[in-house]
Amino acid sequence: MEIGIDSFASAMYGSNELSGVDAMEQLLDRIAFADEVGLDVFGIGEHHKKEFLDSATAVILAAAATRTKRIKLTSAVTVLSAADPVRVYQSFATLDLISKGRAEMVVGRGSSIEAYPLFGFSLNDYDALFKEKLDLLLKVRDSEFVTWSGRFRAPLADLPVYPRALQPKLPVWLGVGGTPESFARAGTLGLPLMVAVIGGETHRFRPLVDHYREAGRRAGFSPEQLKVGLHSPGYVAATNEEAIADYYPGYAELWTKLGRERGWPPVTKAQFDSLAAPKGVLVLGSPEQVAEKLLRHSEALGGVDRFTFQMDNAGLTHAQLMSSIELIGKKVIPLVNGD
């Protein structure tokens, strides 16, 4: 199992707000450290909000590429529906050249919707935009010269797209939430699947993952081509008690704030404890407990090829995040993979 981190480039640590310069410097330090201690992948999300600095994902990843040697660098996710697929490909192809073949992307429709009005798109076209733009992105990835037409963008008539990525087939993962059609789409296209599970119990996604694998099988793809990734909130500390004490206050603050915006009730400690339980979504605790949970989640979903922690928006300090990254690299990864 590949194990890594997804970050939203948060500039908010609880009630302490960092300057953009300091937050970005610390983020790049964390990516470099993740590379140093053996993590497999680091992803940067995409938001267009004051508290996050990740609106230009490929720029951050390119800066990280100059400070790293082996770690894969990916988006998490690129809001493809509100972007130009040609420009997205060009940005990540450039990243692939800078990183010498370590670029990937996870594309999705986006659960945060602020990109749509910002770039002049209607939420009424939420799925149609993504379907069309994914089609164009894959054509651009697979062919130097592209002929294409659609509803939301000017057509291309045998036009070349440069630069080309170093990797012959730049990896494109499909980021999904809980929509069966999205799982089936990924399988039909033979794309690796990144499942964002942020609430409830992870095993409930097994029917959807099976749906993905069956759609891929029917489309003629081998099981080896149908990779499954899992993205969930989590954090590793020396002990379970320390992990909870570090993580809970910021987690409760963040999700209570989101709840006010989206109509959810405030977070309670009882709810948190259920999410941190063995079958719950939070991958939280000591290295031993976290490794056990990752293996349990993988078995529950029929095999997980990649897991990424989302941990930098729970009020944790840079020092706490660095410590967690070290524990993941030096203890969790060997425990999970038997190294």
Side-chain angles (χ1 to χ4, degrees):
M1 185 191 300
E2 293 182 325
I3 297 177
I5 298 216
D6 288 335
S7 171
F8 297 163
S10 174
M12 297 288 291
Y13 291 142
S15 58
N16 300 315
E17 185 171 353
L18 293 175
S19 72
V21 170
D22 289 342
M24 195 64 74
E25 181 179 12
Q26 291 181 2
L27 173 61
L28 292 173
D29 285 346
R30 291 196 295 275
I31 301 174
F33 188 56
D35 182 54
E36 180 184 327
V37 299
L39 273 67
D40 298 295
V41 60
F42 207 107
I44 301 293
E46 180 189 337
H47 298 82
H48 303 269
K49 297 179 176 180
K50 182 179 180 180
E51 61 266 35
F52 302 122
L53 301 174
D54 59 350
S55 64
T57 305
V59 177
I60 299 173
L61 294 172
T66 67
R67 298 184 54 181
T68 55
K69 295 180 179 179
R70 53 164 296 279
I71 197 167
K72 295 176 182 178
L73 301 168
T74 184
S75 60
V77 303
T78 295
V79 185
L80 187 62
S81 302
D84 182 343
V86 174
R87 204 71 176 119
V88 168
Y89 175 81
Q90 289 175 322
S91 295
F92 281 84
T94 302
L95 171 65
D96 204 43
L97 296 175
I98 295 169
S99 66
K100 298 181 174 62
R102 293 183 283 128
E104 300 191 358
M105 68 178 89
V106 181
V107 299
R109 296 177 295 181
S111 58
S112 295
I113 57 174
E114 70 276 359
Y116 289 80
L118 184 63
F119 296 109
F121 295 101
S122 172
L123 285 169
N124 293 330
D125 300 317
Y126 187 70
D127 192 60
L129 279 163
F130 183 71
K131 183 178 180 181
E132 178 176 301
K133 293 192 176 191
L134 179 60
D135 176 63
L136 176 55
L137 176 66
L138 296 178
K139 282 185 167 59
V140 170
R141 179 193 68 169
D142 296 341
S143 302
E144 182 176 341
F145 287 80
V146 180
T147 296
W148 178 92
S149 64
R151 287 175 54 199
F152 302 106
R153 190 200 186 280
L156 299 172
D158 197 33
L159 291 177
V161 177
Y162 301 116
R164 304 306 299 176
L166 179 62
Q167 298 175 84
K169 206 174 187 72
L170 185 70
V172 175
W173 295 64
L174 195 62
V176 299
T179 308
E181 292 80 5
S182 296
F183 285 79
R185 177 184 291 143
T188 300
L189 294 171
L191 296 177
L193 182 79
M194 179 56 71
V195 188
V197 183
I198 60 174
E201 295 184 335
T202 300
H203 68 85
R204 66 190 174 90
F205 279 78
R206 178 62 183 267
L208 292 170
V209 173
D210 287 346
H211 189 43
Y212 159 71
R213 291 185 170 120
E214 177 59 22
R217 186 195 64 78
R218 282 192 260 106
F221 295 101
S222 68
E224 293 74 26
Q225 292 173 286
L226 301 172
K227 294 182 179 179
V228 174
L230 177 62
H231 158 109
S232 292
Y235 173 67
V236 186
T239 67
N240 186 55
E241 294 75 20
E242 183 182 340
I244 292 172
D246 289 349
Y247 194 84
Y248 174 69
Y251 176 89
E253 179 182 337
L254 171 72
W255 286 96
T256 297
K257 178 184 176 183
L258 287 175
R260 287 195 295 267
E261 297 172 0
R262 302 185 184 186
W264 305 333
V267 172
T268 66
K269 185 60 165 56
Q271 290 170 334
F272 177 85
D273 289 342
S274 70
L275 295 175
K279 293 183 179 180
V281 67
L282 294 180
V283 183
L284 179 74
S286 69
E288 294 76 16
Q289 288 168 307
V290 165
E292 288 175 9
K293 194 162 197 177
L294 288 179
L295 292 170
R296 188 181 302 115
H297 282 347
S298 181
E299 182 179 4
L301 295 180
V304 169
D305 300 283
R306 175 179 293 181
F307 178 80
T308 53
F309 290 86
Q310 211 304 312
M311 65 173 72
D312 71 351
N313 60 351
L316 298 166
T317 67
H318 177 60
Q320 288 171 324
L321 293 168
M322 290 286 273
S323 176
S324 188
I325 288 169
E326 183 171 24
L327 289 169
I328 292 168
K330 293 186 176 181
K331 294 193 174 183
V332 174
I333 289 176
L335 285 169
V336 170
N337 293 322
D339 298 336

